[in-house]
Amino acid sequence: MERELWRLLYRLVKQLDVGWGSWRYSTGDIVVVYLWAVVHDRPTAWAACPENWPTDLCPQPLPTQGTLSRRLRKPACVLLLTAVEQRLIGLLNLGQGIVKKIDGKALAVSLVSKDPDAGYGRGAGGKQLGYKLHVIWGDGPMPLAWDLSPMNVSEKRVARWLIEGLAGGGYLLADTEYDANPLYDAAQAEGFQLVAKKRKGKGLGHQRHSPSRLRSIELLGTAFGAALYRQRTAIETSFGTLVTFGGGLASLPAWVRRFHRVRHWVQAKLLIAGTRSLAKNPQLLVA
């Protein structure tokens, strides 16, 4: 299966690679070798060895591990990975539904890790060290929008940035962590009604509240609102699907440290998830 997934990713990358430039290896060459490593849950040093490739797929010549490490930090690689992500979202028509969900997933590292970019924050079961993946998910195999931050960065802060870039309109479902007036206002400005349960022990008091927050409280008191909010749990299924298939986004391996490496790894895993869905519908891939 890894071979077929990589072939589809290779095709997408090569279609979207914008040019050669002055490098010995094109940006597309660097990205496809990196994706070969990620699909197999291996470090870039593994992908730089010809013996780890089938003879009919191995690029000639292969970039060295040092070349991969340097080039992956260039903006061109980030832009190409993002272009592939947007193409997959378009091919899979992921933004069609009116109900979206927002949440975060902790990506912990060892508590004794020396990674200076990781932060302490709330993770599964208590305090953890690492990063957090913030996503807005529709109904498809990959999120419509996402961002990565150290685990100590506020989810509300990242959520506001994600919401402000969200297209369309409808309902945005969230847990109590997102029950904040600025987020309701931001969602309303983009045509979305944020629906989040009110934080426990927090009355309305005498302060000004977003009309959208008041609407959310009213909505959750109705049968329609309760049924709508039950759809929020679908994001747990989406996260579960993302981590349970071979090559999925499980715990961060020991060689994925520092913010730029974690971001590349997460984005590649999201591309693999989208490509798995595309593999079931290959007619969607433009020739």
Side-chain angles (χ1 to χ4, degrees):
M1 183 63 177
E2 291 87 354
R3 181 186 180 106
E4 287 71 23
L5 288 177
W6 183 83
R7 279 184 177 276
L8 277 175
L9 284 167
Y10 178 92
R11 186 174 177 183
L12 287 167
V13 168
K14 288 301 185 178
Q15 283 179 352
L16 297 169
D17 193 11
V18 294
W20 199 273
S22 59
W23 304 98
R24 181 182 182 187
Y25 302 98
S26 71
T27 302
D29 291 336
I30 299 298
V31 168
V32 296
V33 174
Y34 176 67
L35 290 172
W36 181 258
V38 178
V39 164
H40 291 86
D41 286 313
R42 296 291 187 271
T44 52
W46 177 88
C49 296
E51 57 266 30
N52 295 321
W53 289 78
T55 55
D56 61 323
L57 296 183
C58 184
Q60 297 293 335
L62 273 174
T64 65
Q65 192 278 331
T67 298
L68 287 167
S69 181
R70 287 192 300 272
R71 291 287 303 281
L72 283 167
R73 298 189 70 169
K74 300 292 184 182
C77 285
V78 177
L79 291 173
L80 183 52
L81 286 167
T82 302
V84 175
E85 179 185 340
Q86 293 303 311
R87 175 64 64 86
L88 282 168
I89 289 173
L91 289 172
L92 297 168
N93 293 313
L94 299 187
Q96 300 304 309
I98 65 168
V99 177
K100 311 289 192 297
K101 287 81 65 177
I102 185 169
D103 206 350
K105 172 180 171 56
L107 300 171
V109 300
S110 169
L111 290 175
V112 297
S113 172
K114 303 302 182 184
D115 183 350
D117 297 333
Y120 284 96
R122 189 178 66 184
K127 281 279 189 176
Q128 291 182 318
L129 176 67
Y131 301 86
K132 184 161 284 189
L133 171 62
H134 309 264
V135 302
I136 293 178
W137 221 302
D139 299 320
M142 57 191 298
L144 299 172
W146 67 279
D147 200 5
L148 182 76
S149 72
M151 207 178 293
N152 59 326
V153 174
S154 167
E155 289 190 54
K156 297 181 183 69
R157 175 181 166 188
V158 182
R160 185 163 187 172
W161 181 87
L162 289 177
I163 290 170
E164 289 174 351
L166 190 61
Y171 294 97
L172 181 62
L173 312 181
D175 62 23
T176 55
E177 180 67 25
Y178 300 87
D179 180 35
N181 282 302
L183 294 185
Y184 286 99
D185 288 337
Q188 187 175 41
E190 302 300 328
F192 284 88
Q193 170 63 58
L194 176 62
V195 181
K197 284 193 174 179
K198 190 163 67 71
R199 286 168 288 169
K200 291 183 178 179
K202 296 289 184 179
L204 293 178
H206 301 288
Q207 69 185 76
R208 178 261 178 195
H209 289 280
S210 166
S212 185
R213 182 172 188 245
L214 298 176
R215 171 58 180 155
S216 172
I217 295 171
E218 177 186 355
L219 192 62
L220 286 172
T222 68
F224 169 78
L228 173 69
Y229 193 72
R230 282 195 291 271
Q231 296 184 50
R232 193 193 69 81
T233 57
I235 199 168
E236 304 300 336
T237 303
S238 297
F239 277 132
T241 302
L242 182 61
V243 305
T244 52
F245 66 87
L249 181 62
S251 57
L252 295 176
W255 61 87
V256 181
R257 296 294 182 268
R258 303 302 305 266
F259 186 87
H260 66 280
R261 293 192 184 96
V262 176
R263 191 188 189 286
H264 278 328
W265 186 263
V266 169
Q267 188 166 31
K269 291 298 186 182
L270 295 177
L271 298 184
I272 291 168
T275 305
R276 288 180 76 246
S277 182
L278 187 62
K280 300 173 185 177
N281 301 278
Q283 71 278 5
L284 297 177
L285 187 58
V286 179

